[in-house]
Protein backbone atom coordinates (compact mmCIF):
# COMPACT_ATOMS: atom_id res chain seq x y z
CA UNK A 1 0.00 0.00 0.00
CA UNK A 2 1.17 3.54 -0.77
CA UNK A 3 1.76 6.46 1.56
CA UNK A 4 -1.38 7.66 3.33
CA UNK A 5 -2.07 11.25 4.32
CA UNK A 6 -4.76 13.73 5.14
CA UNK A 7 -6.29 16.24 7.51
CA UNK A 8 -8.05 14.90 10.57
CA UNK A 9 -10.24 17.24 12.59
CA UNK A 10 -10.51 16.45 16.28
CA UNK A 11 -13.93 17.73 17.21
CA UNK A 12 -16.22 17.72 20.23
CA UNK A 13 -17.60 19.78 23.07
CA UNK A 14 -15.33 21.91 25.27
CA UNK A 15 -13.19 19.87 27.68
CA UNK A 16 -13.71 16.56 25.84
CA UNK A 17 -9.96 15.88 25.82
CA UNK A 18 -9.13 16.88 22.23
CA UNK A 19 -5.86 18.70 22.87
CA UNK A 20 -4.72 16.09 25.41
CA UNK A 21 -5.19 13.34 22.82
CA UNK A 22 -3.17 15.15 20.14
CA UNK A 23 -0.37 15.91 22.61
CA UNK A 24 -0.21 12.20 23.39
CA UNK A 25 -0.10 11.13 19.75
CA UNK A 26 2.67 13.65 19.06
CA UNK A 27 4.42 12.74 22.31
CA UNK A 28 4.92 16.39 23.02
CA UNK A 29 3.44 19.17 25.11
CA UNK A 30 2.42 21.22 22.11
CA UNK A 31 -1.15 22.23 22.94
CA UNK A 32 -2.63 23.97 25.94
CA UNK A 33 -4.72 21.69 28.13
CA UNK A 34 -6.74 22.46 31.25
CA UNK A 35 -9.59 21.24 33.40
CA UNK A 36 -11.68 24.22 32.28
CA UNK A 37 -13.78 24.34 29.10
CA UNK A 38 -12.78 26.53 26.15
CA UNK A 39 -9.04 26.24 26.67
CA UNK A 40 -8.33 25.99 22.93
CA UNK A 41 -9.24 29.13 20.99
CA UNK A 42 -8.02 28.57 17.43
CA UNK A 43 -7.46 25.72 15.05
CA UNK A 44 -3.91 24.49 15.48
CA UNK A 45 -2.28 21.76 13.44
CA UNK A 46 -0.46 18.89 15.09
CA UNK A 47 1.47 16.90 12.49
CA UNK A 48 2.18 13.19 12.97
CA UNK A 49 4.58 11.63 10.47
CA UNK A 50 5.60 7.98 10.29
CA UNK A 51 7.11 5.78 7.56
CA UNK A 52 3.78 4.99 6.01
CA UNK A 53 1.60 8.03 6.76
CA UNK A 54 1.31 11.69 7.60
CA UNK A 55 -1.70 12.58 9.71
CA UNK A 56 -2.33 16.30 10.04
CA UNK A 57 -4.48 16.71 13.13
CA UNK A 58 -6.53 19.88 13.49
CA UNK A 59 -7.08 20.73 17.13
CA UNK A 60 -10.24 22.82 17.42
CA UNK A 61 -12.05 24.87 20.06
CA UNK A 62 -14.87 22.93 21.71
CA UNK A 63 -18.27 23.47 20.11
CA UNK A 64 -20.86 25.39 22.14
CA UNK A 65 -23.57 27.93 21.48
CA UNK A 66 -23.00 30.76 23.93
CA UNK A 67 -23.81 33.92 21.99
CA UNK A 68 -20.88 36.23 22.63
CA UNK A 69 -18.89 37.94 19.90
CA UNK A 70 -15.66 36.12 20.71
CA UNK A 71 -17.40 32.74 21.03
CA UNK A 72 -18.70 33.00 17.49
CA UNK A 73 -15.10 33.01 16.32
CA UNK A 74 -14.19 29.90 18.32
CA UNK A 75 -17.20 27.95 17.10
CA UNK A 76 -16.64 29.03 13.54
CA UNK A 77 -13.10 27.63 13.78
CA UNK A 78 -14.45 24.24 14.88
CA UNK A 79 -17.09 24.09 12.15
CA UNK A 80 -14.76 25.16 9.35
CA UNK A 81 -12.13 22.61 10.41
CA UNK A 82 -14.66 19.80 10.37
CA UNK A 83 -15.80 20.89 6.92
CA UNK A 84 -12.40 20.90 5.30
CA UNK A 85 -10.94 17.82 6.99
CA UNK A 86 -10.69 14.44 5.23
CA UNK A 87 -11.86 12.81 8.42
CA UNK A 88 -13.52 13.94 11.65
CA UNK A 89 -12.64 12.22 14.91
CA UNK A 90 -15.52 13.16 17.20
CA UNK A 91 -14.78 12.91 20.91
CA UNK A 92 -17.51 12.20 23.45
CA UNK A 93 -16.41 12.87 27.02
CA UNK A 94 -17.16 9.60 28.84
CA UNK A 95 -18.79 10.94 32.01
CA UNK A 96 -20.53 13.90 30.36
CA UNK A 97 -22.01 11.77 27.61
CA UNK A 98 -23.63 9.37 30.05
CA UNK A 99 -25.67 12.27 31.37
CA UNK A 100 -28.37 14.47 29.89
CA UNK A 101 -25.56 16.62 28.53
CA UNK A 102 -25.14 14.23 25.59
CA UNK A 103 -27.81 16.35 23.88
CA UNK A 104 -25.33 19.25 23.69
CA UNK A 105 -23.64 17.32 20.88
CA UNK A 106 -26.77 17.23 18.70
CA UNK A 107 -26.26 20.54 16.92
CA UNK A 108 -22.59 19.97 16.01
CA UNK A 109 -23.09 16.38 14.88
CA UNK A 110 -26.02 17.39 12.70
CA UNK A 111 -23.85 20.15 11.21
CA UNK A 112 -21.00 17.72 10.48
CA UNK A 113 -23.37 15.15 8.97
CA UNK A 114 -24.74 17.78 6.60
CA UNK A 115 -21.29 18.08 5.03
CA UNK A 116 -19.72 14.65 5.50
CA UNK A 117 -20.52 11.03 4.83
CA UNK A 118 -21.00 9.03 7.99
CA UNK A 119 -17.96 6.83 7.23
CA UNK A 120 -15.77 9.97 7.38
CA UNK A 121 -16.66 10.41 11.04
CA UNK A 122 -14.93 8.31 13.69
CA UNK A 123 -16.84 8.45 16.97
CA UNK A 124 -14.56 8.07 19.99
CA UNK A 125 -15.36 8.02 23.70
CA UNK A 126 -12.60 9.86 25.57
CA UNK A 127 -11.58 9.39 29.23
CA UNK A 128 -12.81 5.76 29.34
CA UNK A 129 -10.73 5.37 32.51
CA UNK A 130 -13.64 7.14 34.22
CA UNK A 131 -16.16 4.46 33.17
CA UNK A 132 -16.85 0.94 34.31
CA UNK A 133 -16.93 -1.55 31.38
CA UNK A 134 -20.72 -1.88 31.52
CA UNK A 135 -21.11 1.91 31.45
CA UNK A 136 -18.93 2.05 28.32
CA UNK A 137 -21.16 -0.55 26.63
CA UNK A 138 -24.27 1.39 27.61
CA UNK A 139 -22.81 4.60 26.22
CA UNK A 140 -21.88 2.97 22.90
CA UNK A 141 -25.45 1.72 22.58
CA UNK A 142 -26.78 5.19 23.31
CA UNK A 143 -24.47 6.81 20.75
CA UNK A 144 -25.59 4.37 18.11
CA UNK A 145 -29.28 4.94 18.90
CA UNK A 146 -28.91 8.69 19.07
CA UNK A 147 -26.62 9.37 16.13
CA UNK A 148 -26.68 6.22 14.02
CA UNK A 149 -23.03 5.27 14.61
CA UNK A 150 -22.16 1.60 14.30
CA UNK A 151 -21.80 0.46 17.91
CA UNK A 152 -18.91 -1.89 17.14
CA UNK A 153 -16.92 0.89 15.52
CA UNK A 154 -16.95 3.24 18.49
CA UNK A 155 -13.49 3.34 20.06
CA UNK A 156 -12.68 4.19 23.65
CA UNK A 157 -9.51 6.05 24.57
CA UNK A 158 -7.82 6.96 27.80
CA UNK A 159 -4.69 9.08 27.72
CA UNK A 160 -3.47 8.46 31.30
CA UNK A 161 -4.03 4.70 30.90
CA UNK A 162 -2.69 4.65 27.32
CA UNK A 163 -5.80 2.85 26.12
CA UNK A 164 -7.02 2.97 22.54
CA UNK A 165 -4.57 5.55 21.23
CA UNK A 166 -2.61 3.15 19.01
CA UNK A 167 -5.86 1.63 17.73
CA UNK A 168 -7.21 5.05 16.88
CA UNK A 169 -4.05 5.86 14.91
CA UNK A 170 -4.41 2.60 12.98
CA UNK A 171 -8.05 3.26 12.23
CA UNK A 172 -7.26 6.78 11.02
CA UNK A 173 -4.55 5.41 8.71
CA UNK A 174 -6.94 2.81 7.32
CA UNK A 175 -9.55 5.45 6.57
CA UNK A 176 -7.28 8.10 5.03
CA UNK A 177 -6.64 8.11 1.27
CA UNK A 178 -3.24 7.64 -0.32
CA UNK A 179 -1.59 11.02 -0.67
CA UNK A 180 1.54 13.16 -0.44
CA UNK A 181 3.45 14.55 2.53
CA UNK A 182 1.83 17.91 3.13
CA UNK A 183 4.49 19.04 5.59
CA UNK A 184 8.15 18.28 6.10
CA UNK A 185 8.72 15.22 8.26
CA UNK A 186 10.25 17.32 11.07
CA UNK A 187 7.30 19.72 11.29
CA UNK A 188 5.19 19.31 14.42
CA UNK A 189 2.81 22.21 13.83
CA UNK A 190 1.93 25.10 11.52
CA UNK A 191 2.35 27.63 14.33
CA UNK A 192 5.47 29.59 15.20
CA UNK A 193 7.28 29.54 18.55
CA UNK A 194 5.78 32.85 19.61
CA UNK A 195 2.27 31.48 19.28
CA UNK A 196 3.11 28.24 21.11
CA UNK A 197 4.75 30.14 23.97
CA UNK A 198 1.75 32.46 24.32
CA UNK A 199 -0.48 29.37 24.49
CA UNK A 200 1.60 27.78 27.25
CA UNK A 201 1.42 30.99 29.28
CA UNK A 202 -2.33 31.18 28.71
CA UNK A 203 -2.63 27.56 29.80
CA UNK A 204 -1.08 28.38 33.18
CA UNK A 205 -3.63 31.15 33.66
CA UNK A 206 -6.37 28.59 32.92
CA UNK A 207 -4.84 26.19 35.43
CA UNK A 208 -4.16 28.61 38.28
CA UNK A 209 -7.07 31.09 38.15
CA UNK A 210 -10.81 30.60 38.11
CA UNK A 211 -14.24 31.96 37.30
CA UNK A 212 -14.10 34.63 34.61
CA UNK A 213 -10.36 35.26 34.80
CA UNK A 214 -9.16 32.70 32.20
CA UNK A 215 -11.82 33.91 29.76
CA UNK A 216 -10.87 37.57 30.22
CA UNK A 217 -7.23 36.92 29.42
CA UNK A 218 -5.15 37.02 26.27
CA UNK A 219 -1.40 36.67 25.86
CA UNK A 220 0.82 38.30 23.30
CA UNK A 221 4.56 37.77 22.91
CA UNK A 222 6.15 41.19 22.39
CA UNK A 223 9.78 40.17 22.04
CA UNK A 224 11.55 36.86 21.40
CA UNK A 225 15.34 36.91 21.34
CA UNK A 226 17.50 33.86 20.81
CA UNK A 227 20.95 34.41 22.27
CA UNK A 228 23.20 31.33 21.99
CA UNK A 229 22.05 29.14 24.88
CA UNK A 230 19.28 31.44 26.14
CA UNK A 231 15.87 32.37 24.77
CA UNK A 232 14.67 35.73 26.16
CA UNK A 233 10.91 36.06 25.90
CA UNK A 234 8.73 39.05 26.84
CA UNK A 235 4.97 38.71 26.94
CA UNK A 236 1.97 40.90 27.71
CA UNK A 237 -0.99 39.40 29.51
CA UNK A 238 -4.17 41.33 28.76
CA UNK A 239 -7.12 41.44 31.14
CA UNK A 240 -10.34 43.42 30.94
CA UNK A 241 -10.41 45.15 34.34
CA UNK A 242 -8.11 46.47 37.08
CA UNK A 243 -9.51 43.95 39.58
CA UNK A 244 -8.52 41.12 37.21
CA UNK A 245 -5.02 42.55 36.96
CA UNK A 246 -4.83 42.39 40.75
CA UNK A 247 -5.75 38.70 40.70
CA UNK A 248 -3.26 37.79 37.96
CA UNK A 249 -0.45 39.64 39.76
CA UNK A 250 -1.47 38.20 43.14
CA UNK A 251 -0.33 39.38 46.55
CA UNK A 252 3.30 40.47 46.34
CA UNK A 253 3.34 39.18 42.78
CA UNK A 254 2.88 35.59 43.92
CA UNK A 255 0.44 34.59 41.15
CA UNK A 256 2.38 36.09 38.27
CA UNK A 257 5.51 34.38 39.61
CA UNK A 258 3.70 31.04 39.71
CA UNK A 259 2.39 31.50 36.16
CA UNK A 260 5.79 32.61 34.89
CA UNK A 261 7.77 29.84 36.47
CA UNK A 262 5.43 27.04 35.31
CA UNK A 263 5.26 28.49 31.79
CA UNK A 264 9.05 28.86 31.66
CA UNK A 265 9.53 25.17 32.50
CA UNK A 266 7.20 24.07 29.70
CA UNK A 267 8.75 26.47 27.20
CA UNK A 268 12.27 25.28 28.11
CA UNK A 269 11.15 21.75 27.33
CA UNK A 270 9.54 22.81 24.06
CA UNK A 271 12.53 24.80 22.75
CA UNK A 272 15.13 22.61 24.44
CA UNK A 273 17.03 25.58 25.81
CA UNK A 274 17.24 27.79 28.89
CA UNK A 275 14.55 30.45 28.90
CA UNK A 276 14.26 33.85 30.52
CA UNK A 277 10.60 34.86 30.65
CA UNK A 278 9.24 38.24 31.61
CA UNK A 279 5.50 38.85 31.93
CA UNK A 280 3.65 42.18 32.01
CA UNK A 281 -0.01 42.45 32.95
CA UNK A 282 -2.00 45.08 31.07
CA UNK A 283 -5.60 46.19 31.31
CA UNK A 284 -7.42 46.57 28.01
CA UNK A 285 -11.01 47.37 28.76
CA UNK A 286 -13.49 45.04 27.03
CA UNK A 287 -10.87 43.57 24.70
CA UNK A 288 -13.14 40.56 24.11
CA UNK A 289 -15.51 42.92 22.26
CA UNK A 290 -12.83 44.93 20.45
CA UNK A 291 -12.89 43.69 16.84
CA UNK A 292 -9.54 45.27 15.90
CA UNK A 293 -7.76 43.83 18.91
CA UNK A 294 -9.31 40.40 18.40
CA UNK A 295 -7.93 40.49 14.89
CA UNK A 296 -4.48 41.41 16.18
CA UNK A 297 -4.63 38.42 18.53
CA UNK A 298 -5.70 36.16 15.66
CA UNK A 299 -9.23 35.61 17.04
CA UNK A 300 -10.99 37.09 14.04
N1 LIG B 1 -9.40 11.00 33.25
C1 LIG B 1 -9.05 11.48 32.07
N2 LIG B 1 -8.96 12.82 31.91
C2 LIG B 1 -8.61 13.29 30.68
C3 LIG B 1 -8.33 12.44 29.59
N3 LIG B 1 -8.03 13.20 28.52
C4 LIG B 1 -8.13 14.49 28.92
N4 LIG B 1 -8.46 14.56 30.23
C5 LIG B 1 -8.65 15.78 31.03
O1 LIG B 1 -9.75 16.52 30.51
C6 LIG B 1 -9.54 17.92 30.67
C7 LIG B 1 -9.75 18.62 29.34
O2 LIG B 1 -8.73 18.26 28.44
P1 LIG B 1 -8.39 19.13 27.13
O3 LIG B 1 -7.46 18.33 26.32
O4 LIG B 1 -7.99 20.51 27.50
O5 LIG B 1 -9.83 19.17 26.45
P2 LIG B 1 -10.24 19.89 25.07
O6 LIG B 1 -11.27 19.03 24.43
O7 LIG B 1 -9.05 20.23 24.26
O8 LIG B 1 -10.95 21.19 25.64
P3 LIG B 1 -11.20 22.64 24.90
O9 LIG B 1 -9.91 23.07 24.31
O10 LIG B 1 -11.65 23.49 26.03
O11 LIG B 1 -12.29 22.41 23.89
C8 LIG B 1 -8.12 18.07 31.24
O12 LIG B 1 -8.23 18.26 32.64
C9 LIG B 1 -7.47 16.74 30.91
O13 LIG B 1 -6.45 16.40 31.81
C10 LIG B 1 -8.43 11.01 29.82
O14 LIG B 1 -8.21 10.17 28.92
N5 LIG B 1 -8.79 10.61 31.07
MG1 LIG C 1 -8.34 22.01 23.61
Amino acid sequence: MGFKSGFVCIAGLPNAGKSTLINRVLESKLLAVSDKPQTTRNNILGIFTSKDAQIVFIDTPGYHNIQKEINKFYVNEAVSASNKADLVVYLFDAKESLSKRLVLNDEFITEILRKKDREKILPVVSKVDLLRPEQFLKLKKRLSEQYGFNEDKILGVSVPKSVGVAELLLKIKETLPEGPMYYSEDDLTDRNLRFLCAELIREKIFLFTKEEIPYSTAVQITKYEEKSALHRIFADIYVEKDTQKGIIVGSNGSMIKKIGSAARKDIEELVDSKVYLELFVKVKKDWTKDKEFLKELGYK
Side-chain angles (χ1 to χ4, degrees), residues 84-95:
K84 67 180 182 222
D86 297 292
L87 193 68
V88 176
V89 170
Y90 195 96
L91 290 198
F92 293 93
D93 184 314
K95 271 268 155 54

Side-chain angles (χ1 to χ4, degrees), residues 3-7 47-56 178-187:
F3 193 82
K4 295 263 190 120
S5 67
F7 287 75
I47 305 159
F48 172 89
T49 309
S50 64
K51 264 196 249 104
D52 53 352
Q54 183 169 70
I55 307 171
V56 185
E178 287 189 11
M181 285 250 257
Y182 292 104
Y183 292 88
S184 130
E185 59 186 313
D186 308 321
D187 286 347

